[in-house]
Every structure is written in C-alpha cells, then in structure tokens.
Amino acid sequence: MQKAAPSIEAINKELPQTQCQKCGFNGCKPYAEAILNGEPINQCPPGGDQVIKELANLMGQKPIPLNQAHGVFETRKVAVVREEECIGCTKCLPACPVDAILGSAKRMHVVITSECSGCELCVDPCPVDCIEMKLINQEEQPNELGITGNNVDQNLRDHWASRHNKKTTRTARLAKSLFSQKSEHLKHTKKFSREKARAEIQKAIVRARERKEFLKFRAPREPDES
Ligand code: SF4
Ligand code: SF4
C-alpha cells in the first residue's frame, strides 16, 4: 500500500524555522508547502544533511546532497549590532522575520540574542554595515530556550515559527489597512476632481449662455455714414 502524503505541518516541523529564505521561499512553511508539491528536499542550508535525511524519511525519498546553489551548511551565528556605529535608521527592523531587533527611529538598535534565529536577513539592509554575524558564546550569551549550535531544540524552533507567523499576520494586516487608506484617499481625490470639473463645466455653460444673450440683444450698429 502506498504511504499517505505527510501534512504541511509535519514537513514544516522538520525544518529549522530560521526563516532565512535561503531555500527560495518566504520562510519555512512556504517551503514545506512547496516540498509537498514536489520541490526538492535539499534546499535548506541551515538544516544541512540532517534535515535532508529527516525529510527524505518523511517523504519516502532517498536522501540527496544539499543543493549548494542555496548556500552551505554553517555553524549557526547570531546578529550583533555594533552600537557605536548604529545610526538608528530602522531599516533592519522590517527585515527581521522573528522580530528580534529592538529600536526606533534615531535610537540605537539592539538584537535580542535569545530571539535571533541567525537568518542574516538584517545584514544587507544596514546602510552603515554595523550588523555582524557572530558565533554564539554559550558562556556570555546563555539562552533560556537552549541554543546549542545548530542543534536547536524544538521549543526554540516553535518559538521562531510562532514569532514569524505573528509578524507575517501583522505585516499583512498593516499592508491591507494602508491599501484601504490609500484607496479611500484616491476615492476622495477623484470625487473632489469630478465635482470640480462639473462646476467648471457648469460655469462655462453659464458664460456661453450669457454671451449668446448679449449678442442677441446687442443694439445693431448704425450704418457707416461716410
Ligand atoms: S531555515 Fe531558511 S532555508 Fe531552511 S526552510 Fe526555513 S527559510 Fe528555508
Ligand atoms: S536579528 Fe538579524 S539575523 Fe537575527 S533573526 Fe533578526 S534578521 Fe535574522
């Protein structure tokens, strides 16, 4: 008997939840959906061979080597902001898929190490290159959820997945509200210009009528006496 296809949730559970997009999808869950629809199982560099093995087992496939076009497997790092160089531009905030960066406009930003998934997505948007990825030092940066290199425990994976989920929902809600505000504004602008155009046409009609009346009742000129 053929093995039943696993659920998206079951596939997603095997993924590291770094939410780094290196697989080419907007997070781990979209990649899980794609795997269910036939995408190769070897596109997740943070997961490396271990995740490929687990996915292969789940999908009833043979393990294959990591596709290095998506990146290479590395020991997990966390982002650190060099505080004295940060200009508080806020460009890194929307980039973080798990909301691990604290800061506001013109204020120095800080990465909450215990929340950082190590996705590296905040590095490129920084205009002054003040974010660097550093190896986790367990002594200096203990993590209450238990980071041990790449061997991230399920609690922490679930935590990142849930933060990513919340952020995605919030961003979508914000985009929807901005879109409806913009449409409302456009509607008013259009209404206003339509009303303005109608008033202008009305004025032109009145002017034309007045001119017609004026020409009709204008006294005929005396014939030229010369
Ligand atoms: S950890 Fe990164 S590469 Fe792996 S599935 Fe998640 S988003 Fe994709
Ligand atoms: S702080 Fe940077 S590296 Fe860490 S999770 Fe956020 S975007 Fe990724």
Side-chain angles (χ1 to χ4, degrees):
M1 209 168 70
Q2 214 185 350
K3 204 176 158 190
S7 65
I8 292 170
E9 282 66 32
I11 302 173
N12 191 30
K13 202 116 189 133
E14 301 297 348
L15 298 171
Q17 304 306 321
T18 308
Q19 315 298 345
C20 65
Q21 304 177 6
K22 287 181 183 162
C23 51
F25 294 86
N26 188 26
C28 302
K29 197 165 179 198
Y31 180 42
E33 280 177 45
I35 289 176
L36 192 60
N37 291 319
E39 193 75 13
I41 57 172
N42 62 344
Q43 296 179 187
C44 174
D49 290 341
Q50 185 59 35
V51 164
I52 294 174
K53 217 168 105 192
E54 279 154 17
L55 288 173
N57 187 29
L58 189 67
M59 302 299 294
Q61 298 177 15
K62 280 205 173 108
I64 44 175
L66 176 68
N67 179 351
Q68 300 206 347
H70 292 268
V72 291
F73 177 79
E74 282 179 297
T75 305
R76 204 169 66 79
K77 295 176 180 164
V78 288
V80 177
V81 177
R82 286 193 301 275
E83 298 170 7
E84 62 293 350
E85 291 171 39
C86 175
I87 55 171
C89 70
T90 75
K91 290 201 187 303
C92 57
L93 298 184
C96 181
V98 294
D99 269 346
I101 308 175
L102 276 184
S104 55
K106 301 203 172 64
R107 296 265 166 113
M108 187 259 297
H109 295 5
V110 181
V111 174
I112 314 164
T113 309
S114 59
E115 303 285 4
C116 176
S117 71
C119 72
E120 302 179 15
L121 289 172
C122 55
V123 176
D124 276 352
C126 177
V128 293
D129 277 340
C130 75
I131 304 179
E132 60 183 303
M133 302 303 296
K134 285 194 164 174
L135 283 170
I136 300 157
N137 182 335
Q138 289 284 313
E139 305 294 310
E140 286 171 21
Q141 299 161 342
N143 184 302
E144 72 275 13
L145 289 164
I147 294 175
T148 47
N150 290 63
N151 189 15
V152 172
D153 77 16
Q154 194 60 51
N155 284 344
L156 188 52
R157 290 193 205 189
D158 291 347
H159 183 67
W160 287 332
S162 136
R163 282 184 81 89
H164 179 57
N165 201 12
K166 278 190 196 140
K167 176 147 188 175
T168 312
T169 314
R170 205 177 53 239
T171 310
R173 207 182 299 131
L174 193 69
K176 201 173 157 197
S177 128
L178 283 176
F179 178 75
S180 73
Q181 274 174 26
K182 209 170 166 188
S183 315
E184 221 23 54
H185 174 72
L186 277 176
K187 228 168 33 192
H188 284 306
T189 319
K190 266 195 200 150
K191 198 172 158 209
F192 174 72
S193 4
R194 241 184 265 133
E195 277 164 7
K196 205 172 159 194
R198 241 181 255 134
E200 288 301 326
I201 293 169
Q202 202 52 43
K203 273 193 219 159
I205 293 172
V206 171
R207 274 200 306 273
R209 274 196 200 130
E210 283 171 354
R211 182 164 169 73
K212 210 169 155 190
E213 290 299 300
F214 169 74
L215 289 175
K216 205 158 93 188
F217 294 109
R218 192 175 64 168
R221 268 200 212 146
E222 291 299 320
D224 199 343
E225 285 170 2
S226 62

